[in-house]
Amino acid sequence: NFDGKDCRGLMVSPDGINWTPSTVYPNVGASDSPTSLCCDSENNCYYMYARKFNGDRRVWVWQTEDFKTFTELGLCMHPDPLDQAMVGFYGMPTFKYENMFFGLLWRIYCHQQTMGLANGPIDIGLTYSYDGSHFNRATYDAFIPRNPLGEHGGGCIYSSCMFVDKENTIRIYSGGSKAEHFQNQNLSDAAVMLHKLRLDGFMYLESISRTANLRTKWLRITGDELKININCPYGSAR
């Protein structure tokens, strides 16, 4: 809430500790999910991702170069017929990774009989984009699945930070709750969780029986070398 308006606003800080309101955007509605900010240095702009307003469980994107003027909001991710019934998209923190964008899609599994407001558990799906505006699903399975019930992350997982550390490991940090939708909001129900991936380990193919063959579409090799990311703990690659 900025200046009594149910809208979004911009906060600024000289030191990262003390923050003050800078700009109010009365035409950009408020939402109860976080707004993800992603810098695209190649195109000198910023992309922002969030639900358009409270209750709209889809992901929208808009763009700015100066935080003064903005493009129109565009719908970039919404449930489709291949999703589980009554699934909603609660948010999608997005990160630039080399020349692509990866989104950590918060998927809430709702039920019509829960508290009037559709509540339910949340896991993380994986999306990707080549331009920051148009996203695809990597898979409909959970990229970061929930832990067993009773453990942190057994009710909900809220992934919000991703980076590559100095050891070339991808680190993803999440908030994890035991209860669905953080309905049991006490200190013992909240935890920070860490998930790790090998570099470029967002997707993989795995052989399941003896010899496996992989055929790709035609590739044009433009450099001097070809690198293959492969792991053969009980065999060899040829």
Side-chain angles (χ1 to χ4, degrees), residues 140-230:
Y140 283 82
D141 296 329
F143 176 58
I144 302 178
R146 295 188 305 276
N147 288 330
L149 287 175
E151 298 181 7
H152 288 111
C156 288
I157 297 177
Y158 301 89
S159 297
S160 58
C161 177
M162 184 184 82
F163 66 92
V164 179
D165 65 20
K166 61 182 180 181
E167 298 177 352
N168 286 330
T169 298
I170 299 173
R171 289 174 171 257
I172 298 174
Y173 289 89
S174 306
S177 68
K178 297 178 182 178
E180 297 179 359
H181 209 166
F182 262 113
Q183 290 302 310
N184 184 15
Q185 295 188 16
N186 58 66
L187 185 61
S188 62
D189 191 36
V192 176
M193 304 170 61
L194 169 63
H195 324 278
K196 293 183 179 180
L197 290 175
R198 61 180 174 85
L199 199 65
D200 302 333
F202 297 98
M203 296 291 292
Y204 67 93
L205 296 175
E206 181 180 5
S207 62
I208 59 175
S209 178
R210 301 180 66 84
T211 302
N213 298 302
L214 171 65
R215 176 179 292 177
T216 72
K217 66 179 182 180
W218 286 99
L219 301 174
R220 182 183 179 188
I221 308 301
T222 58
D224 297 328
E225 59 181 355
L226 175 65
K227 294 182 179 180
I228 299 177
N229 192 340
I230 189 170

Side-chain angles (χ1 to χ4, degrees), residues 112-127:
Q112 65 270 22
Q113 296 179 350
T114 55
M115 298 176 60
L117 172 67
N119 290 294
I122 293 177
D123 65 12
I124 304 299
L126 180 64
T127 66

Side-chain angles (χ1 to χ4, degrees), residues 51-186:
R51 284 157 48 195
K52 190 175 182 179
F53 51 81
N54 294 342
D56 182 6
R57 290 178 174 174
R58 300 174 294 172
V59 180
W60 297 73
V61 59
W62 65 106
Q63 181 181 345
T64 183
E65 296 180 358
D66 54 10
F67 291 97
K68 297 179 181 178
T69 58
F70 299 84
T71 61
E72 293 292 328
L73 274 72
L75 182 62
C76 71
M77 187 56 58
H78 63 92
D80 63 36
L82 295 180
D83 284 297
Q84 180 176 318
M86 292 193 69
V87 69
F89 294 165
Y90 213 72
M92 192 177 73
T94 303
F95 308 91
K96 190 73 180 291
Y97 183 86
E98 296 186 359
N99 63 338
M100 296 178 62
F101 297 82
F102 282 98
L104 302 176
L105 184 62
W106 299 3
R107 307 184 302 183
I108 183 169
Y109 299 90
C110 306
H111 193 278
Q112 65 270 22
Q113 296 179 350
T114 55
M115 298 176 60
L117 172 67
N119 290 294
I122 293 177
D123 65 12
I124 304 299
L126 180 64
T127 66
Y128 66 94
S129 171
Y130 295 102
D131 62 6
S133 297
H134 304 87
F135 280 77
N136 302 292
R137 306 283 192 95
T139 175
Y140 283 82
D141 296 329
F143 176 58
I144 302 178
R146 295 188 305 276
N147 288 330
L149 287 175
E151 298 181 7
H152 288 111
C156 288
I157 297 177
Y158 301 89
S159 297
S160 58
C161 177
M162 184 184 82
F163 66 92
V164 179
D165 65 20
K166 61 182 180 181
E167 298 177 352
N168 286 330
T169 298
I170 299 173
R171 289 174 171 257
I172 298 174
Y173 289 89
S174 306
S177 68
K178 297 178 182 178
E180 297 179 359
H181 209 166
F182 262 113
Q183 290 302 310
N184 184 15
Q185 295 188 16
N186 58 66

